[in-house]
Amino acid sequence: MKSKRGIYYSFFFLLSVLASCGTSSRKVVYFQSKEDRQGQIVNLPSYRIENTVRFRPDDILGITVNVPGEQSVASDYNLPLVPAATSENSTEDFVSQGMGRQAFLISKDGTIDFPVLGIIKVAGYTQGELEKYLKERLSTKLVVPAIVTVRLMNFKITVTGEVGRPGTITVDKDNINILEALALAGDMSIYGKRDDIRLFRQKPDGGYTEVSLDISKEDIISSPYFFLQQNDALYVKPVNTRTQNADVSPHWNILVGIGAFVMSVATFVIMLAKD
């Protein structure tokens, strides 16, 4: 008798534990590996260099030219702090924000109209490449080497779905990876699918490339999509239980839970009574 009761108690306890563990921990852990690497140092390959942001049409570039000791000369190669109303390649909004740079809108053909230098093609360049190119062009006109700074001023990404703070994020540097983007969006909720985050990347023709990313595996770092591009959109899909419960009243879920618990207790009592 006592042995049977012990089995019943153990069985009931096990059911209670399983009921309280609705989600497997492996489904919410990031960067899982096939082997235990606790305490180890592991080098993982990355596409950081290959995936450097390159400028595209409709990007807004902040470009400033400084000539040490020759500020009057440098002013010839910078837009005025308050752009003229007729300027088609500058935006007063960005200048008025105190960014310290003049703003150039890249045209559909990938060019900007730069002071003195005229029309130059900038689409396809990285930040470092364009700075080097402008310095070379200016070296033919200036005696003192110029200091050129270039920044992408409208680097934005969008994160939606099962995250703490969905919305559009402005990136203030020249690169960002998916983990940083999720952190800025308040991280994924417990209901977000770690193994199927959707990335939408705009193509030159206006369409989008859709990619499924699995950040529950450590090899996501080696993905060419781990580092994001301007105007990328991330959608964190909800787990199946989340979608199934979307149309169910919270009160109904509570009642179902209470009912299941009562039935478990009743079954347990009946089993004891039979002994």
Side-chain angles (χ1 to χ4, degrees):
M1 177 72 69
K2 291 184 178 180
S3 62
K4 288 186 177 180
R5 288 189 178 182
I7 294 175
Y8 293 153
Y9 282 125
S10 300
F11 178 73
F12 183 71
F13 176 77
L14 180 60
L15 286 178
S16 300
V17 171
L18 291 176
S20 64
C21 300
T23 303
S24 170
S25 62
R26 292 189 62 83
K27 293 183 179 180
V28 297
V29 176
Y30 296 168
F31 307 120
Q32 299 175 43
S33 62
K34 296 180 180 179
E35 56 187 23
D36 184 9
R37 292 178 174 173
Q38 185 173 358
Q40 298 182 22
I41 298 177
V42 181
N43 294 318
L44 300 173
S46 171
Y47 280 85
R48 169 68 184 90
I49 302 301
E50 293 83 349
N51 208 33
T52 301
V53 171
R54 294 187 177 276
F55 303 136
R56 309 171 181 172
D58 295 328
D59 280 346
I60 298 176
L61 303 182
I63 304 177
T64 300
V65 176
N66 289 299
V67 182
E70 299 288 345
Q71 287 304 112
S72 59
V73 175
S75 63
D76 293 338
Y77 298 91
N78 291 290
L79 294 176
L81 292 180
V82 181
T86 57
S87 178
E88 296 181 355
N89 67 329
S90 61
T91 56
E92 185 173 352
D93 291 340
F94 282 96
V95 175
S96 64
Q97 290 175 3
M99 299 295 291
R101 304 179 183 90
Q102 287 70 44
F104 294 84
L105 174 64
I106 301 179
S107 63
K108 297 299 182 182
D109 62 359
T111 63
I112 61 173
D113 189 357
F114 199 82
V116 181
L117 299 181
I119 302 296
I120 58 177
K121 188 173 182 62
V122 296
Y125 281 89
T126 66
Q127 173 189 326
E129 290 171 349
L130 184 56
E131 288 177 346
K132 180 180 179 181
Y133 173 70
L134 289 176
K135 288 179 182 178
E136 292 175 350
R137 290 288 303 270
L138 292 171
S139 66
T140 62
K141 299 180 178 296
L142 300 173
V143 176
V144 179
I147 299 174
V148 180
T149 56
V150 178
R151 292 293 182 272
L152 177 59
M153 300 175 67
N154 64 329
F155 190 174
K156 296 181 179 180
I157 57 174
T158 301
V159 184
T160 61
E162 289 292 337
V163 292
R165 295 185 299 274
T168 299
I169 300 170
T170 299
V171 183
D172 58 0
K173 54 182 183 176
D174 65 349
N175 70 87
I176 185 172
N177 62 49
I178 185 174
L179 190 63
E180 293 173 314
L182 291 174
L184 291 173
D187 204 0
M188 296 175 60
S189 73
I190 196 68
Y191 299 106
K193 294 190 68 174
R194 272 69 174 163
D195 60 352
D196 189 16
I197 299 176
R198 297 302 173 91
L199 167 66
F200 296 88
R201 176 162 295 175
Q202 192 170 21
K203 298 190 295 184
D205 62 3
Y208 285 86
T209 298
E210 180 181 357
V211 183
S212 176
L213 302 175
D214 182 0
I215 66 169
S216 69
K217 301 294 188 296
E218 67 176 5
D219 58 9
I220 183 62
I221 296 177
S222 303
S223 168
Y225 297 97
F226 182 66
F227 285 92
L228 304 178
Q229 300 284 334
Q230 62 268 51
N231 303 319
D232 277 356
L234 292 173
Y235 171 58
V236 179
K237 299 178 62 177
V239 295
N240 292 335
T241 54
R242 183 73 157 181
T243 56
Q244 291 170 357
N245 294 333
D247 297 327
V248 180
S249 168
H251 300 292
W252 174 253
N253 286 333
I254 295 175
L255 291 175
V256 170
I258 294 175
F261 177 76
V262 171
M263 290 181 64
S264 298
V265 173
T267 301
F268 178 67
V269 172
I270 293 173
M271 293 174 65
L272 288 179
K274 286 183 179 181
D275 292 335

